[in-house]
Amino acid sequence: MSKKERQQQLLAIIEGNPFVTDRELTRQLKVSIQTIRLDRLELGIPELRERMKQMAEHSYDQVRSLPVDEVVGDIVDLQLDRSGISIFEIRDEHVFSRNGIARGHYVFGQANSLAVAIINDEIALTASADIRFVRMVRLGEKCIAKAQVRSLAGRNGKAEVDVFTYVGEELVFQGHFIVYRSATEEYSEGGNRSADRH
């Protein structure tokens, strides 16, 4: 593969997944990490942390349902009542000391707090969760949680949110959350809403 072809592929991969790490790019393009870094430099593509920061600055609604510092992970994209993305890096304090495997409540906590944060309401609380840990997460891995509101609350005050968490392109966790909300508005599927006059 020529350098031009490799750089075109690199651009396409990052465009499709802005959260891809340099290490994952080395695996996909089968070149050294130094080559990836040089290619990024030539193409003017910042490192992952800077890309996350830029995304947060440009596409971020304000969380209403809980303080931002109570969200597990860093929210990098948030469209209230629609979708959200957060990133959580597994560090020493998140793992079992003897094997470096992440404690489950941190992985769950990232997904759960994102499912609540996505709700456009002052009060949102988890009512129930149907979850599955797909594989173990280890020290140093970055968990990318993607949340999507499946249905918004009507008069019963509940919303349904699906969250899928990935490391790289591999699914590690999935959850279906029912979230209570205090809104008195009536919502229709797809995010449109109108005032509840009943």
Side-chain angles (χ1 to χ4, degrees), residues 23-38:
R23 192 164 302 280
E24 289 163 1
L25 287 167
T26 65
R27 183 179 59 79
Q28 292 188 45
L29 297 174
K30 301 185 184 347
V31 293
S32 69
I33 199 161
Q34 289 81 9
T35 300
I36 294 295
R37 288 171 179 163
L38 284 171

Side-chain angles (χ1 to χ4, degrees), residues 81-183:
D81 281 346
R82 293 184 180 278
S83 62
I85 299 173
S86 74
I87 295 183
F88 180 53
E89 182 174 357
I90 302 299
R91 297 178 179 162
D92 289 333
E93 61 268 31
H94 307 133
V95 302
F96 294 105
S97 58
R98 64 180 180 178
N99 54 27
I101 295 171
R103 298 171 187 269
H105 62 267
Y106 285 109
V107 178
F108 170 80
Q110 179 193 18
N112 188 31
S113 59
L114 182 61
V116 171
I118 201 173
I119 300 300
N120 186 16
D121 203 312
E122 295 292 337
I123 299 174
L125 299 167
T126 303
S128 66
D130 180 12
I131 65 171
R132 186 164 73 96
F133 292 92
V134 180
R135 82 142 165 91
M136 294 178 291
V137 179
R138 296 184 179 279
L139 178 66
E141 291 187 318
K142 287 185 174 65
C143 295
I144 301 171
K146 299 181 178 181
Q148 189 81 36
V149 175
R150 290 302 174 196
S151 68
L152 289 167
R155 275 167 269 171
N156 61 1
K158 295 178 184 175
E160 294 184 49
V161 183
D162 286 337
V163 182
F164 297 91
T165 303
Y166 300 86
V167 171
E169 296 181 350
E170 188 175 2
L171 180 69
V172 297
F173 174 91
Q174 66 183 64
H176 178 76
F177 296 87
I178 305 295
V179 182
Y180 283 119
R181 60 186 304 163
S182 61

Side-chain angles (χ1 to χ4, degrees), residues 1-19:
M1 182 191 308
S2 70
K3 178 179 177 180
K4 184 178 179 181
E5 290 172 331
R6 183 181 69 241
Q7 291 187 342
Q8 287 176 339
Q9 282 198 23
L10 187 148
L11 274 171
I13 292 170
I14 292 179
E15 189 174 306
N17 178 13
F19 308 112

